[in-house]
Amino acid sequence: MFFFGKLGVNEWIVVFISTLMWFLNVVLPVVIGSYFVLKFRVNHEEH
């Protein structure tokens, strides 16, 4: 924040972009992966 403030960038823009990057890189894959994990069914076939 300090570095971008010295460059004249609005600090709320930095917070928004950082949150958006976190959301796209962490939350979105977790949600998609959780869907597939919870939908996965193991077939228990006896031979």
Side-chain angles (χ1 to χ4, degrees):
M1 298 288 289
F2 177 76
F3 177 74
F4 289 109
K6 291 288 184 184
L7 292 175
V9 178
N10 188 353
E11 57 190 33
W12 287 109
I13 298 294
V14 175
V15 170
F16 174 73
I17 296 299
S18 299
T19 305
L20 182 65
M21 287 175 58
W22 175 80
F23 185 80
L24 291 175
N25 287 316
V26 175
V27 176
L28 194 61
V30 166
V31 170
I32 294 171
S34 297
Y35 170 76
F36 285 109
V37 167
L38 293 174
K39 194 167 172 78
F40 180 73
R41 300 281 182 241
V42 177
N43 293 332
H44 292 287
E45 295 181 16
E46 294 185 23
H47 296 285

